[in-house]
Amino acid sequence: MRNQRPRSLRRPRGAGDTFPLLLVGGVMLLGVLGWFLLQGARRGGFADQLSTFKSEPDGARALYLLLSESGLPVLRHQQDLTVIPSTRNLVLLGTRFAREKGFDKLAFDGSDGGVAEDDDEANDAEFKSRGVNALKSPPISNDESEKLLEHVRNGATLVYVPSSYRDPRLLEDLDVTLERTDKSLAVRTLVPAQPSRYVQGVERVVTKVRAFLELPPGAVPLLVDEKFDKPVAALIPYGQGRVIIIGAPELAMNRTLGVADNAQFWHSLIGAVAASGPVAFDEFHHGFTGERSMGEFAARYGLHFAVGQLLLGVMLWALALRRFGSPLAPPEELRVGNTDALFATSRLYREGKHHGHAASSILKHLAADFAVRAGVSGRLGPAEIGAALEVRGRKDLASALLDIARAVSATNSEADVERVAALAAVARKALNHKHATPVTRNAR
């Protein structure tokens, strides 16, 4: 016979069944949590390009914070442009305008007015640079464009930074044309075209230029290319107001704000515009509206993924609580202790001759279980419980309960207690089996 380990040292069956589930659940939870932490580290990455909420290199959060901390009256406009407060000036950074059908096939390369060969490639590159957020950023509709021009005619100032040379919807009404810069031109140095309050304190601005401006009569250049002497930023009077156009969207981005006098240029420009009223940066067309529901807010910040992660953790925890395998035997110490307690109690009853009390205890607990089946209170006597059982069609249980009650009343010895216990065991077996055979009156 092979050697076996002592029973007390054996590992109970089923003790390690939940460990694999806990391990897999823990690994999955840590993986999902780590992914969300990495996404959260990309602070502001959810926002659109040139949004003042975005703190990544292609955002404009640094510009907004610079102006705000300087004490200038700047704010964010998060409604459409059909209704604009009369005293509010606007800044459109990279905002797109709705185009007419077939307009995407046009290219403004400043040469012969034909179609550029790499127009589709440029469209794809522009979309990729904006990412999926471009789908959440609606363009300015024709109605909004008309309201915007009316707002400017009434005396407001608009600072417009087109994201591409393909956005002439507003510029056509201003008689301004964008001349696309050559791809070989890298970062350009811009200088003030003439002294003015819009470029006060600015000596040179260094940034990438998307397009040079061809201005109508009466326009005032603000910044020109140092080498080609072509305007990149200009002021165009329009009605009682004015429009400032800048053909270098990178100039407003976080990554270029600290270069040369770029920050000073924006401070002087917005400071001059703010002299006639507060300046609002349009965020509605970057995907931020002032009427966002809790569900949309949660979806934008990824809170629905956090809720899903929490539910997954709860499900894994619930599965881990389930035990697989055969039932575990109670520990040997517990079995021995229960047996010793039972023998000690029985000895006390025998030595004290508490036969009647022991039999009454058996009847009391049995009657409570029968009362549940009868649907009555367990405080009732055996007769009332038996009557209720008969009503429910369990006359066999009622008869057995009454027989046990009579046996309890006649208990005077240890043998009588054993007889009551035997009757109670048979009756309980009948209770637990719906189609049990009738209970016998004599269980000896």
Side-chain angles (χ1 to χ4, degrees):
M1 186 174 181
R2 293 184 300 176
N3 295 330
Q4 295 185 355
R5 298 173 62 184
R7 183 177 179 83
S8 59
L9 298 180
R10 295 179 192 171
R11 183 182 182 183
R13 288 180 298 173
D17 291 337
T18 60
F19 179 75
L21 282 176
L22 290 175
L23 182 61
V24 173
V27 172
M28 293 179 60
L29 193 62
L30 288 176
V32 174
L33 181 61
W35 185 83
F36 276 108
L37 288 177
L38 291 177
Q39 293 297 316
R42 299 177 59 214
R43 183 167 174 253
F46 57 86
D48 187 22
Q49 188 181 70
L50 285 173
S51 167
T52 59
F53 287 106
K54 189 170 189 177
S55 58
E56 291 193 343
D58 59 345
R61 181 180 176 84
L63 173 60
Y64 184 84
L65 294 179
L66 169 69
L67 301 175
S68 177
E69 294 298 326
S70 300
L72 297 178
V74 294
L75 49 90
R76 293 182 172 100
H77 187 86
Q78 295 182 243
Q79 290 80 29
D80 59 33
L81 300 179
T82 55
V83 178
I84 308 173
S86 57
T87 60
R88 180 172 296 182
N89 303 304
L90 292 173
V91 178
L92 307 182
L93 298 179
T95 305
R96 299 174 298 123
F97 283 78
R99 301 172 183 174
E100 297 178 0
K101 185 177 181 181
F103 177 78
D104 287 345
K105 295 300 181 181
L106 298 180
F108 299 88
D109 59 359
S111 55
D112 56 357
V115 177
E117 296 179 356
D118 58 347
D119 189 63
D120 292 335
E121 296 179 1
N123 273 327
D124 294 339
E126 180 183 350
F127 181 81
K128 291 179 180 178
S129 66
R130 299 187 63 181
V132 181
N133 292 297
L135 301 175
K136 304 178 183 179
S137 306
I140 297 178
S141 64
N142 293 333
D143 292 338
E144 290 180 287
S145 180
E146 294 177 0
K147 293 292 183 180
L148 179 60
L149 291 175
E150 180 182 355
H151 181 67
V152 174
R153 284 196 300 267
N154 292 334
T157 300
L158 169 65
V159 179
Y160 176 44
V161 184
S163 62
S164 171
Y165 64 93
R166 298 180 185 79
D167 277 334
R169 177 66 182 86
L170 177 69
L171 303 182
E172 285 181 351
D173 296 328
L174 301 174
D175 197 20
V176 176
T177 304
L178 297 179
E179 177 188 348
R180 182 185 181 185
T181 58
D182 193 279
K183 286 186 176 182
S184 61
L185 295 179
V187 176
R188 309 300 301 165
T189 299
L190 312 178
V191 296
Q194 55 189 322
S196 70
R197 58 176 180 164
Y198 296 100
V199 291
Q200 183 178 1
V202 178
E203 294 185 3
R204 65 187 184 92
V205 172
V206 178
T207 184
K208 182 179 179 181
V209 176
R210 297 278 185 96
F212 295 124
L213 307 180
E214 295 183 3
L215 303 174
V220 179
L222 298 179
L223 292 176
V224 296
D225 187 278
E226 185 180 32
K227 181 178 180 181
F228 299 106
D229 198 30
K230 293 183 177 181
V232 178
L235 184 148
I236 298 96
Y238 189 76
Q240 298 180 7
R242 52 196 180 275
V243 179
I244 299 174
I245 302 175
I246 303 174
E250 282 79 7
L251 183 57
M253 293 183 179
N254 298 326
R255 59 172 173 245
T256 59
L257 193 62
V259 180
D261 295 329
N262 296 7
Q264 180 61 44
F265 167 73
W266 280 109
H267 187 273
S268 300
L269 176 68
I270 301 301
V273 173
S276 61
V279 180
F281 286 79
D282 174 46
E283 287 294 340
F284 179 86
H285 298 93
H286 286 303
F288 294 90
T289 65
E291 300 178 353
R292 189 175 300 279
S293 66
M294 290 301 296
E296 292 175 339
F297 179 83
R300 173 171 286 275
Y301 286 89
L303 296 182
H304 55 304
F305 293 112
V307 174
Q309 175 188 348
L310 178 61
L311 293 177
L312 177 62
V314 171
M315 291 174 59
L316 293 175
W317 174 73
L319 288 175
L321 292 180
R322 296 188 59 185
R323 189 189 58 76
F324 299 92
S326 59
L328 298 178
E332 186 174 354
E333 295 81 1
L334 181 60
R335 293 200 307 273
V336 173
N338 291 340
T339 304
D340 292 343
L342 180 61
F343 278 116
T345 304
S346 63
R347 182 176 180 182
L348 288 175
Y349 275 96
R350 285 197 303 270
E351 296 295 334
K353 299 185 183 302
H354 303 298
H355 307 116
H357 179 73
S360 299
S361 297
I362 295 174
L363 176 62
K364 178 181 178 181
H365 290 85
L366 183 66
D369 294 338
F370 276 41
V372 175
R373 178 61 60 87
V376 295
S377 174
R379 297 180 180 180
L380 298 178
E384 290 84 355
I385 297 175
L389 287 171
E390 290 186 4
V391 173
R392 289 178 174 260
R394 296 305 302 268
K395 188 175 181 180
D396 57 332
L397 296 180
S399 178
L401 184 61
L402 294 177
D403 288 345
I404 296 173
R406 286 191 291 268
V408 169
S409 61
T411 299
N412 293 315
S413 63
E414 185 175 343
D416 294 336
V417 176
E418 293 179 359
R419 180 173 179 271
V420 171
L423 290 173
V426 176
R428 187 178 296 277
K429 184 177 180 180
L431 175 66
N432 295 331
H433 294 79
K434 186 174 181 181
H435 301 289
T437 57
V439 182
T440 59
R441 293 179 179 271
N442 188 0
R444 295 185 65 179

